[in-house]
Amino acid sequence: LNAELIGEVNRALDGFEADSGIGCIVITGNDKAFAAGVDIKEMHQKTFVEAYGSDFLAPFDRISNCRKPIIAAVGGYALGGGCELAMACDVRIAAHDCQFGMPEVKVGIPSVIHASLMPRLIGQARAAWLLLSGENIGTEQALQWGLVSEVVPLKDLDQRINTIAKNFAGLGPAVLKQQKTLLRRWEQLSLPDSIADSVQEFGRAFETGEPQKFMNDFLAHKKTIKK
């Protein structure tokens, strides 16, 4: 992750978010790494603010708040900023033999920005171990801890991602936007406030027309099966 790549991600998100024909976004790397973290050479030459400024924060925030579901398809290493990028996504599907870690302490800097998501995802004790030790964990441990949603063989990763993405793309964009909005708000609200907030959002769903459409489709399909 360097300044050039961050700029490319921002520009890509501009196009994806504006395109009504896109129902789901997938972020991936290659077989060796989803993302190996921030470019140490770039960080070594400049301060963080000089190297990235607020531009570095933009894609992480936009991924978290994007109205469309975003899947992280993780193969290989997801380290530091790369692990944060995966955590910012809604769903993380990983291939076997991946490695996840936050090694910043090993080069003298704390893990920051979306590392703050880690305690919420996997709990305070597990997050503390990863962030303080700088050690990696494998895919199976990441699955047990709740850092990833599902693990598949590397050869099946693309096919599984396509299946999930098509499922998301077949759902109503308005309801997905609502559900993502609720998930983000629930992170800040108490349980009673979260419940009250969800009831209000439920009522607003019927203003979009999607419940009527999808419920009618469901009932028509059920009626056909009975015949």
Side-chain angles (χ1 to χ4, degrees):
L1 298 176
N2 55 32
E4 181 182 1
L5 180 60
I6 290 298
E8 291 177 1
V9 171
N10 271 322
R11 287 189 290 275
L13 287 171
D14 284 339
F16 295 158
E17 289 186 275
D19 190 338
S20 61
I22 293 176
C24 178
I25 299 167
V26 178
I27 299 178
T28 191
N30 55 39
D31 293 352
K32 292 183 179 180
F34 172 75
V38 174
D39 188 340
I40 297 298
K41 292 180 180 178
E42 201 169 71
M43 283 282 287
H44 180 67
Q45 294 169 358
K46 304 176 182 180
T47 68
F48 182 86
V49 175
E50 288 174 336
Y52 303 108
S54 60
D55 290 343
F56 190 87
L57 302 176
F60 293 86
D61 288 338
R62 292 180 66 184
I63 288 167
S64 291
N65 298 311
C66 180
R67 58 189 174 85
K68 301 177 181 182
I70 300 183
I71 305 170
V74 183
Y77 289 92
L79 304 178
C83 189
E84 293 175 47
L85 190 68
M87 288 191 291
C89 296
D90 301 301
V91 176
R92 289 161 293 283
I93 309 298
H96 290 301
D97 301 323
C98 289
Q99 292 286 309
F100 297 84
M102 302 296 292
E104 286 88 345
V105 292
K106 293 188 174 183
V107 293
I109 56 175
S111 298
V112 294
I113 309 174
H114 279 67
S116 59
L117 290 171
M118 188 165 278
R120 301 176 187 182
L121 288 173
I122 64 175
Q124 188 69 33
R126 290 166 173 170
W129 188 88
L130 279 172
L131 294 169
L132 293 173
S133 72
E135 298 296 321
N136 296 344
I137 60 172
T139 312
E140 294 302 327
Q141 192 168 3
L143 179 64
Q144 292 172 7
W145 285 11
L147 190 58
V148 299
S149 310
E150 188 176 327
V151 175
V152 298
L154 179 60
K155 64 180 180 63
D156 298 329
L157 182 60
D158 286 347
Q159 181 178 351
R160 181 58 181 147
I161 293 297
N162 285 336
T163 298
I164 297 171
K166 287 179 180 178
N167 176 65
F168 281 140
L171 300 174
V175 71
L176 288 175
K177 179 182 178 181
Q178 280 188 300
Q179 194 64 75
K180 285 198 63 171
T181 299
L182 283 169
L183 283 166
R184 298 291 85 82
R185 290 206 296 248
W186 290 345
E187 293 171 357
Q188 310 297 326
L189 298 174
S190 67
L191 181 58
D193 287 342
S194 295
I195 293 171
D197 183 48
S198 67
V199 171
Q200 294 295 320
E201 201 68 43
F202 183 85
R204 283 191 286 269
F206 286 86
E207 298 172 7
T208 71
E210 285 188 358
Q212 295 88 333
K213 176 187 181 302
F214 284 97
M215 288 180 187
N216 285 336
D217 290 348
F218 172 80
L219 292 173
H221 178 67
K222 187 176 181 181
K223 186 176 181 180
T224 301
I225 292 174
K226 283 185 177 180
K227 286 182 178 180

